[in-house]
Amino acid sequence: MSDATLNTSRAAGTQGPDKQAAAMGETGKPVAFRGGGFAPRSPKWVGVAVFVVLIAIAEWGTRTGWISALTLPRPSDVLATFQELYQSGMLFKHLGPSLARLAVGALIGVSVGVSVGVLIGLFSYVRAGLVPLVAAIFPIPKIALLPLFVIWFGIGEGSKYALIAFGTFTPTVVATYGAVDNVDRTLIRMGQSFGLSWWSIVRKIVLPGAMPGILSGLRISLAIAIILLVAAEMLGAEYGIGAYILQAGSLYDLERLFAGVVILSVLGVVTSTVIGLIERRVLGWRT
Amino acid sequence: MDIKLEAIGHSYDGVRVMRDITLDIPDGRIVCIVGPSGCGKSTLLRFIGGLERPMEGRVVQMGEAPEGCLNPLTYIFQDFALLPWRSVAGNISLVLEDHGIKGAKAKAIIDDVLARTKLSDFAQALPKQLSGGMKQRVAIARALAVNPAVMLMDEPLSALDSQTRELLMDDLVSLWSRQPFTAVYVTHNLNEAVRLGHKIVVLSRRPGQIREVVEIDKPLDQRQFGDADLDEKQKYLWQLMREEARAADAELLNV
């Protein structure tokens, strides 16, 4: 089929271009490839490999004496400390209160943050009034406010919840109202043109449309929550990962310090993975 | 239900975009609005559907919407405006939910409109899985679901390739032939205008005014691709618009 059309077009055409093409064919070279790239993927084993290599270097360095024991604890010692922590049952005694503080604080901060963010995204006066306020609160190191929170909410759990909630609140607000601003306006016009109520438009169009932005804001908020957990446990906490790390730090017990830090890192990886799973479930509609 | 436009005028930031537009949209007919870009065609459509308010004049609805009509003035948008997180059936049920239509009753309506737009097999598909033509058919199905008295179509076929456009025009004609609906059809494509319009309103460039109203009496289902008399009309329309379009193209965009 294609041969036939080629032949007829040749027969119809003049000889000139054909000869030229033949001459070019002799010396022709393939067109250089210059596409590709800019589409990163993440093969699973690479991330693990990076951890393994770094830990192996640390282990090797401390064993040969190339890294002194004061600079960095030996990874195998940290592991031993961790085992001890687990076997003595102290791990869960520390982990339990910390997770509770994290969950309650982040829940309060994120839910208030999402609500305020949506309000800023929808109402001119709320936006005019609160955007500067949020901008003013955002850069305050929340740790500096811990004494204030202790006075307001007491030395117990209250001040810890408040610190974490306050710390997650601001990034959530900023991410949420940015996400609401980015919801496709034609979808909102569509909702109005079909006579949907205001509340329906917010619930069925604005919120789902803002979900990608809210979830990526959540990644940042929860990381900040973990950072603030240590700060929250600086005052008046007997148990908790943060308390454990601070105690080890003040004694220069590097093995325990690192064991605590590893727990925080794992916590970070776990939350990030969980959000990734939620994204895959909730945002399956994205192209 | 007829729609009357009475002396509509409008300006944006002191720039006059529309002047003295008076127009009748009779029941059961398709009125096409054509004009050079920036003449305010889409703005006019938003006035008719009540999404925007004109500064001068008014849009009047003559008579009541027929029984069972959930949303008398219903749009079909150029970019489909489907919710990407809802399936085809979910997108249609969206516009029924607010009228308290749920469960079996909603399913009956959804099945009916999907059958009319030949989409029955795709009820559970997400918009990202559909081609442009199918997306627009979903949008048409959604519009049919609320039983509109007037369909307001804002360049509904402009985002589609030309073959799909031909097919969808046939679909629109067969929908209309089976059950005539009233429509205002905004387009910059004169071929669509002569194929679908009973009445073609030619607007001038900014400030948009009615230059001429061309009537085509030939029944919609007898109009074919490449009909000589339609080509004649199309040529005539293009002559009306040519200079306007050239001048409009040379203007700065500030709307």
Side-chain angles (χ1 to χ4, degrees), chain A residues 79-90:
Chain A
L79 191 68
T81 315
F82 192 81
Q83 257 169 354
E84 197 184 292
L85 191 68
Y86 176 75
Q87 272 158 2
S88 66
M90 288 303 279

Side-chain angles (χ1 to χ4, degrees), chain A residues 5-258:
Chain A
T5 49
L6 202 71
N7 283 335
T8 49
S9 75
R10 261 199 197 161
T14 51
Q15 285 291 309
D18 256 22
K19 268 183 193 160
Q20 232 171 15
M24 294 279 279
E26 307 287 328
T27 55
K29 58 173 185 177
V31 173
F33 178 66
R34 49 187 175 170
F38 297 101
R41 272 181 236 179
S42 50
K44 288 219 163 61
W45 52 271
V46 179
V48 179
V50 170
F51 276 110
V52 169
V53 167
L54 284 180
I55 292 169
I57 291 174
E59 182 75 28
W60 172 72
T62 45
R63 270 182 196 279
T64 54
W66 170 61
I67 303 171
S68 87
L70 274 178
T71 325
L72 200 70
R74 190 175 296 173
S76 50
D77 287 351
V78 174
L79 191 68
T81 315
F82 192 81
Q83 257 169 354
E84 197 184 292
L85 191 68
Y86 176 75
Q87 272 158 2
S88 66
M90 288 303 279
L91 177 64
F92 294 101
K93 218 164 182 177
H94 286 299
L95 206 55
S98 283
L99 287 179
R101 285 165 193 151
L102 207 57
V104 174
L107 193 69
I108 297 171
V110 167
S111 46
V112 176
V114 169
S115 325
V116 172
V118 170
L119 293 178
I120 289 178
L122 293 177
F123 299 106
S124 313
Y125 278 100
V126 180
R127 168 176 300 238
L130 290 188
V131 169
L133 185 66
V134 170
I137 299 174
F138 208 162
I140 300 174
K142 309 298 179 295
I143 301 165
L145 297 179
L146 184 58
L148 189 70
F149 286 141
V150 169
I151 296 170
W152 285 358
F153 303 104
I155 191 92
E157 296 301 298
S159 60
K160 296 170 183 65
Y161 296 155
L163 186 73
I164 295 172
F166 201 51
T168 48
F169 168 74
T170 36
T172 309
V173 169
V174 173
T176 305
Y177 86 71
V180 172
D181 285 351
N182 274 330
V183 173
D184 191 350
R185 295 293 120 165
T186 57
L187 293 181
I188 295 177
R189 295 280 166 274
M190 182 277 292
Q192 290 177 323
S193 80
F194 277 96
L196 265 61
S197 68
W198 182 87
W199 177 234
S200 279
I201 291 178
V202 171
R203 210 156 39 94
K204 295 171 186 168
I205 299 178
V206 175
L207 279 182
M211 210 35 107
I214 293 176
L215 282 178
S216 66
L218 205 60
R219 272 180 200 278
I220 299 170
S221 309
L222 291 185
I224 290 176
I226 296 173
I227 295 173
L228 286 175
L229 179 66
V230 179
E233 291 174 347
M234 275 197 311
L235 283 180
E238 194 186 345
Y239 295 111
I241 305 298
Y244 176 79
I245 291 174
L246 291 166
Q247 203 182 29
S250 54
L251 296 171
Y252 281 86
D253 186 344
L254 291 189
E255 280 87 13
R256 289 177 61 196
L257 180 82
F258 266 75

